[in-house]
Structures are given as C-alpha cells and as structure tokens.
Amino acid sequence: MKVLVVGSGGREHALCWKIRSSPLVQEVLCAPGNAGTAEVARNVPIKATDVAGLLELAAREKIDLVVIGPEEPLCLGLGDKLRAAGVLVFGPDASAARLEGSKAFAKEFLVRHHIPTAQFRRFDRSGLAKTYLESCTQWPQVIKASGLAGGKGVSIVRDAREGCVLIDALMEQRSLGEAGNEVVIEEFLEGEEVSVLAITDGEALLILDPVMDHKQVGDGDVGPNTGGMGVCSPVSLLSRRVMRQIEQHVLVATLHGMRRDELSFRGVLFVGLMLTESGPRVLEYNCRFGDPEAQALMRRMKSDLVPFLVATAQGKLADMPEGPEWDPRVCIGVVGAAEGYPGKVRKGDGILGLEEAGKVPEVVVFHGGTRFAPTLKKEVVTDGGRVVCVTALGKDVEEARRSAYAGFDKLTWDGRFCRRDIGHRHLTRKPAGAPEPQRRPPSR
Ligand code: AMP
Ligand code: GLY
C-alpha cells in the first residue's frame, strides 16, 4: 500500500513512523511534513490546507489510503472530496468535523443528544455577551471562541470586567480572526481532565488507551493554554466504573447522535472530559488524533495500526475481531517549545543533539515545528512553537520521566524550554482503581 499522511506536526511524524513499520505498507508520503517525517516518509511540499493540491497528489501517486492529521483540512472538506474521488480516507467529512470546527455546533449537539457537558450560552453579538456576563452570579466563567483557534481560543475569566475585555478582544478587535465571530460562554467545571480517543467508522467504535495531556504552558499547570506541552499514557486516574460511564454516556451516545443527525464520521473521535464530582462531562470534541496524544499512543500501540485505519476508512471496523494491543509500559512525552510559545515565536534556530537524544534507551524524538535549513541540507532548524516531542517508555511513570528528560536534555536550540513536571499528576494522585481490560472487540 501507498499511504499519504497530511500534516506537519509531531502527531504526523508519529503516524508516519508507526505506519512505516507496517508490513502492509510499501511507501509513506507526508504533505508537507517536517525534518523528522523526512526520515520515515517522502515529504511532498503541499500544504495541509491545499485541498486541490492534495487531491491532485493522491491521484498522481495512486495513493491507497489518506490519513488526515490536523483539523483544518477536515473542516475544509478534504475528506469528502477525496472520498468522492474514490480514495480511502481516515478522517471525517466536513459536516462531522464541525463537532470540532464550531464549539457552538458541538454544544447544541451535546444538548440535543443528552450528553453531559457544562451549561452554556452562545452569542454572535458582543453587546449581548457582555450583558450576559454582567448578569452572571457564578464565577469564574469560561469564554470560548467558537471557531478553530489552534488551542488558544479558551479563557477562564474571574469577573465580568475581565470577561468584557476578552469579549471586546475576540468579537470587536478580532484577536483570533473569524474564530471569534461567535462565542460560547459556559459554566466552569472542576475536576481532573482526561482525553479519551476512539476510532470509529460511525457504526462501531474502538476505545484507545487513555492519555493525559498537559495543556498549560508552565509547571504546576499555570499560564496560558497551549496545544499541549506533554503527555502521559496510560492514565491511572481512570477507574473501570468511570471508563464505563464515559463509554456509555459519552462515546456511544455521540455515535448514536451522529447517526441520528446523519453525520458521517470515519476517523478518530477525541473527547476532552472533566471528571467532575457529578460524573464525567464533555469539554470539547476533536475530530482527529491529538498532538501530543498521538505520539504516546503510537509508542504504546503494539499492533499494526494500518488494518485499523483501513477498516475504519472502509466502514468495516466491526469486522476487526479485537482492539489494538498496548505495551503495558508507561509513555511520557515532553514537548520542547520555542521561546515565546504559545505567543509569537522565533523560527530558524539551529537544533543540536537530535542524534544523541535518539540514542537514549527507550527514547524516540518526534519532530513538530522543524525543517531543514535552506542552505545546509543536514542542519535542522526550528520552524514552529512546539519543536519536538521527546517520548520515552518506562516500567513506571518515574522511569519513563527520567528517560524522556534525559533525551530532552541532549537537545539544544536558542530559547528552548519545556515543562519539567510532565506526569506529575500520576505521581501525586492515587489510582482510582484497576484500568479497563485493554483488548476488546469494537462496541456499537
Ligand atoms: P477546550 O478547547 O474546550 O477543551 O478548552 C481548553 C481547555 O480549557 C480545557 O482543556 C480545559 O482545561 C479548559 N476548559 C474548557 N472548558 C472548561 C470548563 N467548562 N470548565 C473548566 N475548564 C474548562
Ligand atoms: N493536545 C490537544 C489537542 O490535540 O487538541
């Protein structure tokens, strides 16, 4: 098979790396890719949002399967168009990708299908949003730009004054462009946050092992939200009972809701959840693998990923006799970021130590924002906010952390930084119970 992976981040490097190891695959192409994907795939310089260019590439290269990494091309309808051209695609149609592309749409969907989530209101006029904030008695409140904002569209505000400043920035000064045309204001939920990802073809679903992201930029969960600064999998905080609740009340309910609303979903349904005292509640849907969640999942998945991707793309996931087999070891992924992230970052700084980092036992470095320097082909330079994700497997969190940071410390570039506490929640909290058995047939 010839597989095309669309995207250029750490998630896409991890997907290319895993897909490349399949005996079913002759060649992997990545569009546009980064300096890391170039080691395991053939990079093609076509942007992930260039729908026409990617359609032409898939036809020209006779691609058997396209795996769409990021949300933007999914929301632009890349999946629909490739499918219409007869190509197998892992990734939902644009109509279903709205679950991620519009938070207002997602909230209406959640309410319509009685799936537990925070109470909310949606506004497309700043005046009404501000009047509502001034009437609130419960604080904090959460303000979300409805459109795609690369993980930067959510703010927690402590009072009406702070909220109104933010509404003006989003809706009047358009700090996030069109993403802020509409906003959702919702109840603040307290609890532990987890991500649960499931592969689904719209009929059956296979829950992947739980993963925990670290969204805030600073140690101890302080500072602004990012796309994700580090990852730990599996998640010992999730008890069997809670996993069952998530499966029934969230995942299966979402699947039924999508069927009722005639949304065609063949890909990864990624649900961000808050484990509140009154049970798990949905914070957000994503319509793709997470970044850096995918890096940890690809490291821990022992089975070949490709048969799952193909069965999903064909709508035959129920035919898979069982789910993927997981490495029981812990994976920790530490994101190395460029100075300024998640704000404006400098690009083009030379990265040293990649080879040495990769030699640390059990370490694999996935590239995110990297590229080759235009003059010296062998030199790798920074090209984005999240530069690398250093992953390591270990028998427990402590061992995986040690290896991941040992790998990270071999790397240098100007302005580099990381969080030093990835996995800390797993060390400080007691596990809530035995995890769910991990290898099961798809549920419906
Ligand atoms: P989202 O993109 O909707 O997942 O929001 C980004 C982050 O904001 C989440 O990962 C949470 O940490 C936080 N967040 C979102 N919604 C809420 C909420 N209703 N209550 C508390 N925190 C939230
Ligand atoms: N790590 C969160 C995301 O991919 O949305």
Side-chain angles (χ1 to χ4, degrees):
M1 283 179 75
K2 213 165 168 180
V3 181
L4 168 64
V5 175
V6 175
S8 61
R11 162 183 53 212
E12 287 76 25
H13 187 186
L15 288 169
C16 288
W17 173 86
K18 182 70 182 158
I19 292 168
R20 187 71 199 89
S21 69
S22 167
L24 302 169
V25 172
Q26 272 82 48
E27 192 179 15
V28 185
L29 280 72
C30 191
N34 58 37
T37 61
E39 290 166 12
V40 284
R42 169 153 61 96
N43 282 352
V44 186
I46 299 176
K47 280 200 187 132
T49 49
D50 180 356
V51 173
L54 292 166
L55 273 166
E56 196 272 325
L57 175 71
R60 175 163 40 89
E61 293 280 351
K62 300 193 171 56
I63 298 291
D64 298 297
L65 171 72
V66 180
V67 181
I68 305 174
E71 57 277 19
E72 291 95 331
L74 290 165
C75 291
L76 288 172
L78 177 61
D80 316 50
K81 296 208 172 88
L82 284 164
R83 263 187 283 270
V87 183
L88 269 185
V89 184
F90 184 87
D93 279 359
S95 57
R98 270 185 301 168
L99 286 174
E100 174 163 6
S102 163
K103 289 198 189 282
F105 176 83
K107 295 297 291 194
E108 302 286 358
F109 176 94
L110 287 160
V111 171
R112 186 161 61 248
H113 298 295
H114 310 288
I115 301 167
T117 188
Q119 304 267 0
F120 80 104
R121 298 278 300 269
R122 58 190 280 193
F123 299 95
D124 57 10
R125 302 231 306 265
S126 63
L128 294 176
K130 289 195 279 188
T131 307
Y132 171 72
L133 283 170
E134 272 149 13
S135 74
C136 285
T137 49
Q138 297 275 334
W139 295 96
Q141 291 280 326
V142 185
I143 301 183
K144 303 185 172 187
S146 182
L148 289 180
K152 296 168 197 160
V154 176
S155 300
I156 293 162
V157 294
R158 282 162 303 182
D159 54 35
R161 198 191 50 80
E162 202 183 318
C164 290
V165 170
L166 187 72
I167 291 294
D168 278 336
L170 285 174
M171 303 187 87
E172 300 297 332
Q173 288 126 35
R174 306 173 71 79
S175 55
L176 294 175
E178 286 191 6
N181 284 355
E182 188 170 10
V183 298
V184 165
I185 303 182
E186 70 177 36
E187 167 199 12
F188 176 78
L189 300 176
E190 278 181 276
E192 292 287 351
E193 215 180 312
V194 291
S195 309
V196 179
L197 288 83
I199 292 181
T200 179
D201 61 356
E203 296 294 327
L205 63 82
L206 263 180
I207 302 175
L208 306 182
D209 244 22
V211 195
M212 191 181 271
D213 190 7
H214 297 61
K215 290 216 174 180
Q216 280 160 299
V217 74
D219 284 13
D221 298 324
V222 297
N225 268 331
T226 69
M229 291 298 293
V231 67
C232 182
S233 176
V235 180
S236 53
L237 294 167
L238 275 174
S239 66
R240 187 179 296 212
R241 186 177 60 83
V242 173
M243 252 338 256
R244 240 190 332 262
Q245 285 175 344
I246 294 173
E247 179 169 351
Q248 286 311 314
H249 303 317
V250 177
L251 293 170
V252 172
T254 301
L255 200 64
H256 290 171
M258 289 195 296
R259 276 213 287 264
R260 234 169 284 146
D261 292 356
E262 295 181 6
L263 301 177
S264 167
F265 201 110
R266 293 183 177 184
V268 175
L269 178 69
F270 164 153
V271 191
L273 296 145
M274 193 70 93
L275 307 180
T276 71
E277 276 180 357
S278 57
R281 295 215 255 166
V282 176
L283 293 176
E284 66 163 345
Y285 285 118
N286 294 320
C287 59
R288 40 136 190 117
F289 279 109
D291 184 343
E293 286 88 341
Q295 290 87 314
L297 288 169
M298 294 306 111
R299 284 298 311 276
R300 291 195 52 239
M301 189 183 287
K302 286 176 103 174
S303 320
D304 187 351
L305 171 67
V306 174
F308 292 99
L309 300 177
V310 171
T312 304
Q314 290 174 329
K316 292 182 178 166
L317 189 58
D319 294 350
M320 295 296 288
E322 53 190 354
E325 187 188 348
W326 299 99
D327 192 320
R329 287 178 296 170
V330 173
C331 180
I332 292 279
V334 175
V335 169
E339 191 174 307
Y341 183 73
K344 202 172 155 40
V345 297
R346 194 174 66 193
K347 297 179 181 178
D349 289 307
I351 306 171
L352 297 176
L354 284 163
E355 213 173 300
E356 292 76 2
K359 285 187 192 145
V360 175
E362 301 300 345
V363 165
V364 175
V365 180
F366 292 117
H367 292 223
T370 70
R371 65 180 162 84
F372 292 110
T375 43
L376 291 166
K377 264 282 177 232
K378 284 257 176 300
E379 194 194 357
V380 177
V381 298
T382 63
D383 194 34
R386 291 188 293 167
V387 178
V388 293
C389 178
V390 182
T391 61
L393 294 170
K395 67 176 185 318
D396 52 24
V397 174
E398 204 43 272
E399 190 180 281
R401 268 168 58 88
R402 254 199 313 275
S403 302
Y405 284 110
F408 179 80
D409 289 333
K410 302 272 185 217
L411 297 171
T412 52
W413 65 87
D414 276 355
R416 102 190 158 131
F417 75 96
C418 72
R419 274 183 64 162
R420 286 277 158 193
D421 63 347
I422 303 304
H424 69 107
R425 287 185 223 126
H426 294 71
L427 294 173
T428 51
R429 311 275 204 287
K430 277 220 205 93
E436 189 79 342
Q438 291 171 359
R439 221 162 175 208
R440 297 189 306 150
S443 46
R444 287 153 172 274

